[in-house]
């Protein structure tokens, strides 16, 4: 597993060393704190030879350095600095306690598992629409990839249940099957709901294993579930590669919003591969009331107790200390016991993880430098791009207005008394292709109208359309398709999924003021030389008038996930997840400008692959700021404090995406 240090504040002579962040952009109000002591090259994993491990990240073997809560930079009792231990060390000791806890939380969240388990790159998926059931529902069907060697695989596909309770099973037996450089043996049974793409389950049997690279090998038995978050049942997982190893056995765990539970045994490098038993005796819960907006946002847990034991030592993690932002740690080792308080923020990086979906894009490693796209010099441009894509400022106009087909005038007289689809009609193509369309109308008081069209190599006004598309409008614009390509001289655009857009709605107090929502969208464009890829996009952006708090005028909310590649990312694919909804309050809003913006709600994770990641944490103890933790392979983490007010251009909605 990749050994990675915590973000740390380096103390000299009882003072903090702060280094101003400098970049080509305006960095006023920005500071970052960097530990000058990085990792030695010999400590870093060798990922050559195809031994790519994406989700195996942890902390260094030495934890004697202070891990300080950034919201408490004066170094109060909330700092989990552990006194140095003298003499022979037990398996669990004062040097590795925080790191062992970090590793345990990575197992529970699913972050510890390699992508070959969680992303399941040996299956592809294809959504389709089923208007008779739900016009916006995406239906997953899976197809196992073929072997690219003399190995074999045998598929047995069947279903159980009907309607919304129907599940499709893909029972596959592999014998020496090479897929993308990975050699697979054993049996996996993949199942997922046929209705609404809510997740999947995988059962591994028959000595399932994957060999990769020069020496990498993963063996798995048991059940792995990915329905929103992660749970496992009777899972035994072992992985070894040139950069490390991890063993997890007898694991039955659940991580869902607001709850952690389960038990397992693990043998990680931080304990010198000595086994330790992890039991959550009282499940961790966010039992505080929802915030003013009705959502649970925190990765901190107000109650719960976890016990980690070895033959000669024990760690107890007790959240029942009366402070929801900290946890009490008790270490019994070498005949002594010591306790201290630690901030939950120490483990946000382990708890915030959401695994990729089946068939999701894997992150390539950058060819330049150490493979780091996310650095202290580039984070502003990358984070701005992520916010702008989710807000719609970047590429939203292309997505919302696609495919720009010149439909005829809507037949209101024909559809006046009809709720549903009208008669088919053939639209005129400029070539021998076809376009068959049906008008749609629904409602009286608030009328919905639109078109549903099947294109077959239809050229119109210089653009050739292939696939299907449906669009509706009732003050809110809705588009959905199981796949449509529009090709023209300037390039090609492809769309799949559904998008909903509402601009400056006035539906009563507290209703969304503006809305930009994508559901399982894949959109790629090569038009006009401006390449852009948006995939696995399932996110929601709202900018709304606030009525719950009289001292707040507007509120911005981000949630969901996406993968994107653009000129700003050098066409490198980034995976973006928002494990906990980001909610930003704007006490004042005037002249299309948000003033005095603040937030205590939410987290965001950007993964560029190869151990290069960025975590945004809204809760810093000061509502006007947020914290960024940037990880690069072979370097000490960088911690940056930003002001929400400096990013306000990303959080309004003073523009219209509809042409």
């Amino acid at each position: 597993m990749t050994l990675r240090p915590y973000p740390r504040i380096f103390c000299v002579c009882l003072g903090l060393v702060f280094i101003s962040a400098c970049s080509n952009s305006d960095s006023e109000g920005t500071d970052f704190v960097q530990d000058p002591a990085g990792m030695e090259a010999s400590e870093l994993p060798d990922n050559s030879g195809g031994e790519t491990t994406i989700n195996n990240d942890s902390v260094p073997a030495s934890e004697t350095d202070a891990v300080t809560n950034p919201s408490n930079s004066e170094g109060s009792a909330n700092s989990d600095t552990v006194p140095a231990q003298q003499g022979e060390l037990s398996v669990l000791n004062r040097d590795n306690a925080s790191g062992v806890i970090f590793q345990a939380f990575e197992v529970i969240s699913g972050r510890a598992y390699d992508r070959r388990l969680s992303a399941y790159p040996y299956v592809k998926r294809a959504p389709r629409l089923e208007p008779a059931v739900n016009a916006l529902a995406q239906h997953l069907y899976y197809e196992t990839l073929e072997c690219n060697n003399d190995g074999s695989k045998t598929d047995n596909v069947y279903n159980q249940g009907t309607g919304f309770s129907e599940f499709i099973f893909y029972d596959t037996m592999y014998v020496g099957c090479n897929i993308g450089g990975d050699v697979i043996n054993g049996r996996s049974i993949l199942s997922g709901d046929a209705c609404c793409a809510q997740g999947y389950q995988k059962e591994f049997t028959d000595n399932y294993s994957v060999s990769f690279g020069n020496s990498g090998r993963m063996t798995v038995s048991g059940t792995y579930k990915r329905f929103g978050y992660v749970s496992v049942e009777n899972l035994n997982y072992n992985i070894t590669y040139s950069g490390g190893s991890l063993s997890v056995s007898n694991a039955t765990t659940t991580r869902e919003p607001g709850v952690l539970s389960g038990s397992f045994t693990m043998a990680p490098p931080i304990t010198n591969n000595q086994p330790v038993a992890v039991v959550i005796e009282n499940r961790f819960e966010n039992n505080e009331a929802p915030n003013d907006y009705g959502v649970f946002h925190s990765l901190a847990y107000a109650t719960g107790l976890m016990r980690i034991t070895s033959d000669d030592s024990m760690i107890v993690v007790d959240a029942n200390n009366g402070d929801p932002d900290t946890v009490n740690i008790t270490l019994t080792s070498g005949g002594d016991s010591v306790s201290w308080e630690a901030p939950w923020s120490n483990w946000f990086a382990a708890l915030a993880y959401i695994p990729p979906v089946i068939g999701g894009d894997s992150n390539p490693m950058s060819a330049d430098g150490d493979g780091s796209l996310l650095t202290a010099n580039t984070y502003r441009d990358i984070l701005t791009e992520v916010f702008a894509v989710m807000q719609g400022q970047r590429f939203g106009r292309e997505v919302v207005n696609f495919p720009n087909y010149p439909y005829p005038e809507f037949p209101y007289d024909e559809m006046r008394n009809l709720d549903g689809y009208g008669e088919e009609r053939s639209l005129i193509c400029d070539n021998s292709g076809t376009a068959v369309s049906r008008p749609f109308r629904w409602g009286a008081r608030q009328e919905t109208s639109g078109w549903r069209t099947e294109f077959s190599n239809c050229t119109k006004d210089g653009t050739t359309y292939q696939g299907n598309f449906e669009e509706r409008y009732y003050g809110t614009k809705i588009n959905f398709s199981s796949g449509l390509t529009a090709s023209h001289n300037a390039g090609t655009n492809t769309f799949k999924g559904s998008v909903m857009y509402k601009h400056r709605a006035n539906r009563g107090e507290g209703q969304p003021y503006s809305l930009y929502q994508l559901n399982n969208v894949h959109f790629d464009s090569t038009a006009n030389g401006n390449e852009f890829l948006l995939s696995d996009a399932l996110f929601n952006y709202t900018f709304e008038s606030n009525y719950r708090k009289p001292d707040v005028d507007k509120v911005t909310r981000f949630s969901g996930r996406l993968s994107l590649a653009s000129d700003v990312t050098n066409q490198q694919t980034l995976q973006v997840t928002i494990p906990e909804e980001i909610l930003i309050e704007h006490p004042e809003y005037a002249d299309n400008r948000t003033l005095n913006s603040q937030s205590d709600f939410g987290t965001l994770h950007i993964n560029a692959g190869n151990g290069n990641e960025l975590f945004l944490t809204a809760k810093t103890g000061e509502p006007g700021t947020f914290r960024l933790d940037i990880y690069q392979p072979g370097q000490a983490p960088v911690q940056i404090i930003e002001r929400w007010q400096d990013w306000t251009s990303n959080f309004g909605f003073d523009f219209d995406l509809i042409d």
Side-chain angles (χ1 to χ4, degrees):
M1 60 193 302
T2 304
L3 303 184
R4 183 180 64 189
Y6 280 135
R8 289 174 284 190
I9 297 177
F10 188 70
C11 300
V12 178
C13 299
L14 303 180
L16 295 177
V17 177
F18 287 88
I19 306 172
S20 294
C22 299
S23 66
N24 293 331
S25 57
D26 179 14
S27 60
E28 182 180 354
T30 302
D31 293 293
F32 72 83
V33 184
Q34 183 169 6
D35 185 338
M39 295 174 66
E40 297 296 331
S42 61
E43 295 180 274
L44 300 176
D46 176 11
N47 282 336
S48 61
E51 296 191 32
T52 305
T53 55
I54 292 180
N55 299 331
N56 299 315
D57 301 312
S58 189
V59 293
S62 176
E63 286 299 325
T64 54
D65 296 297
V67 183
T68 306
N69 184 354
S71 66
N72 185 14
S73 58
E74 296 298 322
S76 74
N78 286 345
S79 173
D80 67 339
T81 304
V82 188
Q85 179 169 310
Q86 305 298 321
E88 184 176 349
L89 296 181
S90 302
V91 173
L92 302 173
N93 54 70
R94 302 177 191 181
D95 286 350
N96 69 9
S98 293
V100 171
I101 297 169
F102 192 98
Q103 179 68 86
F105 282 140
E106 282 195 316
V107 172
I108 296 166
S109 73
R111 181 181 173 83
Y113 300 124
D114 184 75
R115 67 181 178 86
R116 293 169 177 85
L117 177 69
S118 59
Y120 204 60
Y122 316 123
V123 172
K124 63 181 179 180
R125 65 175 189 172
R128 67 183 180 89
L129 296 174
E130 196 66 56
V133 177
N134 184 334
L136 295 180
Q138 294 294 301
H139 294 246
L140 280 183
Y141 286 94
Y142 305 107
E143 180 179 345
T144 57
L145 300 181
E146 297 299 323
C147 306
N148 51 25
N149 66 344
D150 294 333
S152 66
K153 72 176 181 68
T154 304
D155 291 323
N156 178 25
V157 181
Y158 57 94
N159 71 319
Q160 292 181 357
T162 59
F164 288 96
S165 298
E166 179 184 5
F167 276 72
I168 299 178
F169 292 79
Y170 286 75
D171 187 340
T172 305
M173 187 70 187
Y174 295 95
V175 179
C177 178
N178 188 312
I179 299 178
D182 294 353
V183 179
I184 313 167
N185 286 280
R187 181 186 181 194
S188 71
I189 305 172
L190 167 68
S191 60
D193 63 293
C195 163
C196 306
Q198 295 299 308
Y200 61 89
Q201 171 179 306
K202 292 177 295 176
E203 182 181 356
F204 300 95
T205 65
D206 293 72
N207 299 314
Y208 184 89
S209 69
V210 180
S211 299
F212 54 95
N214 295 324
S215 60
R217 180 174 172 81
M218 180 184 76
T219 62
V220 187
S221 67
T223 303
Y224 176 95
K225 299 180 181 181
R226 168 73 162 93
F227 289 91
Y229 287 80
V230 170
S231 63
V232 301
E233 293 179 2
N234 301 316
L235 187 75
N236 295 289
Y237 168 90
N238 289 273
I239 189 167
T240 58
Y241 65 107
S242 58
S245 64
L246 177 65
S247 172
V248 178
S249 59
N250 300 317
T252 296
T253 62
T254 298
R255 186 274 173 110
E256 57 188 8
V259 176
L260 304 174
S261 63
S263 63
F264 54 93
T265 298
M266 66 177 184
I270 199 167
T271 64
N272 293 320
N273 299 317
Q274 295 298 306
V276 295
V278 180
V279 179
I280 299 179
E281 296 182 355
N282 298 311
R283 70 180 195 169
F284 290 104
E285 294 185 350
N286 276 327
N287 59 7
E288 60 183 349
N291 61 38
D292 291 320
Y293 305 93
V295 298
F296 295 91
H297 61 272
S298 179
L299 292 174
Y301 295 86
T303 62
L305 186 144
M306 178 171 69
R307 192 180 305 272
I308 305 173
T309 58
S310 71
D311 290 340
D312 61 359
S313 45
M314 179 174 62
I315 298 171
V316 176
V317 181
D318 189 355
N320 302 285
N321 63 346
D323 181 359
D325 293 324
T326 68
V327 64
N328 180 266
I329 312 296
T330 299
L331 168 67
T332 302
S333 177
D336 297 324
S337 292
V338 61
S339 297
W340 68 97
E341 302 292 316
W344 273 107
S345 58
N346 284 354
W347 301 294
F348 280 177
L351 294 168
Y353 176 72
I354 294 180
V357 296
I358 284 183
D361 296 320
S362 60
N363 290 322
M365 289 184 283
S366 175
D368 60 301
D370 64 1
S372 294
L373 178 65
L374 295 162
T375 70
N377 293 322
T378 64
Y379 77 91
R380 278 184 168 271
D381 291 338
I382 300 297
L383 190 56
T384 296
E385 179 80 340
V386 169
F387 283 145
V389 168
M390 297 193 76
Q391 182 190 23
Q393 285 197 65
R394 286 277 281 172
F395 309 108
R397 191 174 301 277
E398 291 89 334
V399 172
V400 169
N401 293 288
F402 183 81
N404 283 314
Y405 183 83
Y407 287 102
E409 183 177 352
F410 190 81
Y412 283 103
D413 290 341
E414 172 189 335
M415 303 292 294
R416 189 179 308 279
N417 298 315
L418 178 65
D419 281 340
Y421 292 99
E423 295 295 327
E424 285 188 356
R425 62 203 64 208
S426 295
L427 306 181
I428 298 175
C429 302
D430 298 336
N431 62 350
S432 59
T434 61
V436 179
S437 188
R438 298 179 66 183
F440 176 89
R441 179 192 172 279
W442 190 274
R445 181 179 178 183
Q446 186 173 24
E447 183 177 282
T448 300
S449 61
W451 296 90
R452 177 183 177 187
T453 308
E454 293 282 345
F455 297 96
S456 179
N457 193 35
C458 175
T459 299
K460 185 69 173 178
D461 298 338
T463 300
T464 300
Y465 302 91
Q466 178 67 41
N468 61 77
F469 196 81
E470 182 159 356
E471 60 181 53
R472 299 179 185 176
Y473 187 80
Y474 61 97
T476 298
K477 182 173 173 59
I478 304 176
N479 300 333
F480 44 96
S481 170
S482 62
L484 177 66
T485 298
S487 304
H488 44 87
N489 291 335
T492 300
N493 293 335
T494 301
F495 175 88
K496 182 168 58 177
S498 64
V499 57
M500 180 181 295
Y501 172 67
K502 183 195 307 291
H503 179 62
R504 295 185 182 276
N506 184 14
R507 299 176 57 197
E509 189 176 43
Q511 293 297 314
Y513 181 66
S514 298
L515 168 70
Y516 182 49
Q517 183 182 88
L518 273 63
N519 181 17
N520 290 330
V521 164
H522 176 101
F523 182 85
D524 62 78
S525 173
T526 59
N528 301 313
N530 185 15
E531 295 186 14
F532 173 69
L533 170 67
L534 183 65
S535 61
D536 186 33
L538 179 65
F539 66 79
N540 188 76
Y541 173 92
T542 60
F543 181 65
E544 59 189 79
S545 299
N546 181 57
Y547 70 97
R548 297 172 177 87
K549 299 177 70 174
D551 57 343
V552 175
D553 186 15
K554 297 288 189 293
V555 172
T556 298
R557 304 172 78 153
F558 291 90
S559 61
R561 66 172 189 257
L562 63 103
S563 295
L564 72 93
S566 69
D567 54 344
V568 174
T569 72
N570 297 323
Q571 301 305 326
Q572 179 175 337
T573 302
L574 301 178
Q575 289 181 341
V576 181
T577 56
I578 299 179
E580 308 292 338
E581 180 186 52
I582 294 177
L583 190 150
I584 306 165
E585 298 176 337
H586 311 297
E588 301 175 63
Y589 185 77
D591 300 325
N592 293 328
R593 293 183 301 115
T594 56
L595 306 174
N596 302 320
S597 300
Q598 60 187 24
S599 175
D600 262 344
F601 310 136
T603 56
L604 179 144
H605 176 213
I606 304 175
N607 189 349
N610 196 29
N612 184 209
E613 302 173 74
L614 178 149
F615 288 90
L616 181 155
T617 304
K619 192 166 186 176
T620 66
E622 173 52 56
T625 67
F626 61 90
R627 189 183 85 233
L628 301 174
D629 295 303
I630 301 174
Y631 296 93
Q632 297 173 244
Q635 299 185 32
V638 174
Q639 186 180 102
I640 300 171
I641 302 298
E642 286 278 353
R643 298 185 306 174
W644 288 111
Q645 189 57 40
D646 296 334
W647 295 74
T648 54
S649 62
N650 296 279
F651 306 131
F653 219 141
D654 56 350
F655 51 89
D656 194 346
L657 298 179
I658 298 179
D659 289 337

